[in-house]
Amino acid sequence: MSAEPGTVRPGGRTARVRTAVLRAAGDVLAEQGFDRLDLAEVARRAEVGKTTVYRRWGTVTALVADLLADMAEQSLPRTRTGAVRDDLRANALLVQRTLADPRQGALFRAVIAAAACDPRTAEALRHFYAVRIAEWAPCVSEGVARGELPVGTDPATVVRAVSAPLYYGLLTTGTAPDPAAAERAADAAVAAAQAGVYAAPVTPVTPT
Amino acid sequence: MSAEPGTVRPGGRTARVRTAVLRAAGDVLAEQGFDRLDLAEVARRAEVGKTTVYRRWGTVTALVADLLADMAEQSLPRTRTGAVRDDLRANALLVQRTLADPRQGALFRAVIAAAACDPRTAEALRHFYAVRIAEWAPCVSEGVARGELPVGTDPATVVRAVSAPLYYGLLTTGTAPDPAAAERAADAAVAAAQAGVYAAPVTPVTPT
């Protein structure tokens, strides 16, 4: 089926190729890990010419960096319930569903493993988390503004505290978190924030 | 230098070979990652015959599993200060120093990356953390017995909560934790435990 001239917006084919290639790259990563990612295999799965993939991405690390950029662009907006605990529970459940999903969980493990060995992937991963944390940080600052959390609470640290136990369990034991773990992660972050743990250094620390 | 007959206890040479080989394996993992680990290279670095290494360990994954078993055996005993917060701060600072140490931090990242792709390494890693958590769990149960934390607080969950933000930061952003982050991690776990977050499910959760 070919479109009428002028009915496909500029970039339409380019965007479709990108979507197909990134989907295929994510599938290979989730199924086989970073080591087995190969541009020719990705092209075959995406039903896109090999030359296109080599010309546009060039290397496996560039392809993974673009996949992470796309995941950051596509990721869901934050929740706004009007209560910090409910917002952070929604965040925790979103992280939990992602990590417990067989494809997404395996994809994150593969990308985090790749970032341990490859600086470009590490940079792309940092960018991905920076985008996600910036998206959810207002849940905390609004909670501070409403008086639910102490003044001076650091929003990014609280958002990271919600994700941390969910990722830690997956990465060190291979066990995906369940919804109860997600709610516990959110409630723990709120309890610690309410106790002032994320508002100021606990004790003076001398850098050594 | 050769020892007098009878002056070397049975297993002495075997133990020295193991120490040298595991040290070399850890060095290669820390410097180059799991992908580059090669039994011949480990034998060369350890100044041990290749045949010995192949006969005794056979595969890279068996060697990494033995390295993790040794790390679990060698790991430090828990602290006993008489106060749960101080015990957990000591635990957090131990984890922080390990992850911030260039060799140890790189070694843990390499092994966690390897566990994402290899079931035997994943099992060895789970065993390592199970040993560490069992070592430190009494800090929490003794805190409960002293009335510092609510009855029913789950010791393993609290110990994992202390480590989680320290590992999460390293694995997702490549940034090793500093001592302030370690104390914050311990204080957050204590605050959440005191609030009852680790004592019972937050809300009834229906398994699906």
Side-chain angles (χ1 to χ4, degrees):
Chain A
M1 191 178 85
S2 65
E4 295 291 310
T7 59
V8 175
R9 62 176 170 76
R13 195 186 113 74
T14 304
R16 280 198 308 276
V17 165
R18 184 179 180 227
T19 301
V21 166
L22 296 184
R23 177 85 207 172
D27 288 345
V28 175
L29 275 170
E31 289 163 27
Q32 304 181 33
F34 185 76
D35 300 348
R36 309 288 281 278
L37 193 61
D38 169 81
L39 295 188
E41 163 77 357
V42 168
R44 194 190 58 73
R45 288 203 187 203
E47 300 179 7
V48 164
K50 259 199 289 191
T51 359
T52 304
V53 174
Y54 280 99
R55 201 174 46 225
R56 179 135 169 218
W57 287 277
T59 63
V60 162
T61 53
L63 179 58
V64 174
D66 197 32
L67 174 63
L68 281 162
D70 183 62
M71 285 161 65
E73 286 159 25
Q74 303 289 330
S75 58
L76 293 171
R78 73 178 177 101
T79 300
R80 294 161 183 262
T81 63
V84 68
R85 179 186 310 275
D86 293 333
D87 282 0
L88 293 180
R89 281 188 174 196
N91 181 25
L93 286 165
L94 178 63
V95 172
Q96 180 269 321
R97 279 195 301 273
T98 302
L99 298 183
D101 176 81
R103 180 181 185 274
Q104 293 282 93
L107 178 55
F108 272 92
R109 291 185 81 185
V111 173
I112 289 168
C117 331
D118 177 70
R120 181 155 180 191
T121 305
E123 181 50 43
L125 194 66
R126 262 194 300 277
H127 175 73
F128 172 81
Y129 287 108
V131 168
R132 295 309 297 148
I133 287 164
E135 173 67 26
W136 286 86
C139 298
V140 177
S141 45
E142 289 170 10
V144 173
R146 283 189 302 261
E148 295 177 85
L149 299 177
V151 171
T153 299
D154 182 59
T157 306
V158 178
V159 174
R160 281 194 293 262
V162 173
S163 286
L166 309 175
Y167 276 86
Y168 173 72
L170 180 65
L171 294 168
T172 61
T173 69
T175 310
D178 62 16
E183 300 204 333
R184 200 159 53 228
D187 289 0
V190 170
Q194 285 174 338
V197 173
Y198 303 124
V202 174
T203 54
V205 171
T206 316
T208 47
Chain B
M1 192 179 83
S2 66
E4 294 291 309
T7 61
V8 175
R9 62 175 171 77
R13 194 187 114 73
T14 304
R16 280 199 307 278
V17 165
R18 184 179 180 226
T19 301
V21 166
L22 296 185
R23 177 85 206 169
D27 288 346
V28 175
L29 275 170
E31 289 164 25
Q32 303 179 33
F34 185 76
D35 299 347
R36 310 288 282 277
L37 192 61
D38 170 81
L39 295 189
E41 163 77 356
V42 168
R44 195 189 58 73
R45 289 203 186 203
E47 301 180 6
V48 164
K50 258 198 291 191
T51 358
T52 304
V53 174
Y54 280 99
R55 201 174 45 225
R56 181 137 168 218
W57 286 276
T59 64
V60 162
T61 52
L63 180 58
V64 174
D66 196 33
L67 174 63
L68 282 162
D70 183 62
M71 286 162 63
E73 286 158 26
Q74 302 289 330
S75 59
L76 294 172
R78 73 179 178 99
T79 300
R80 293 162 185 263
T81 64
V84 68
R85 180 187 307 275
D86 293 333
D87 282 1
L88 293 180
R89 281 187 175 197
N91 180 24
L93 286 165
L94 177 63
V95 172
Q96 180 269 319
R97 280 194 302 273
T98 302
L99 298 182
D101 175 80
R103 180 182 186 273
Q104 293 281 92
L107 178 54
F108 272 93
R109 291 184 81 186
V111 174
I112 290 168
C117 332
D118 177 70
R120 183 157 180 189
T121 306
E123 181 49 42
L125 194 65
R126 261 194 301 276
H127 175 73
F128 172 82
Y129 287 108
V131 168
R132 296 309 296 147
I133 288 165
E135 174 65 26
W136 286 86
C139 300
V140 177
S141 44
E142 288 170 12
V144 172
R146 284 189 302 261
E148 296 177 84
L149 299 177
V151 171
T153 299
D154 182 59
T157 306
V158 177
V159 175
R160 281 194 294 261
V162 173
S163 286
L166 309 175
Y167 276 86
Y168 174 73
L170 179 66
L171 294 168
T172 62
T173 69
T175 310
D178 63 15
E183 301 206 332
R184 200 159 52 228
D187 290 0
V190 170
Q194 286 174 338
V197 173
Y198 302 124
V202 173
T203 53
V205 171
T206 316
T208 47

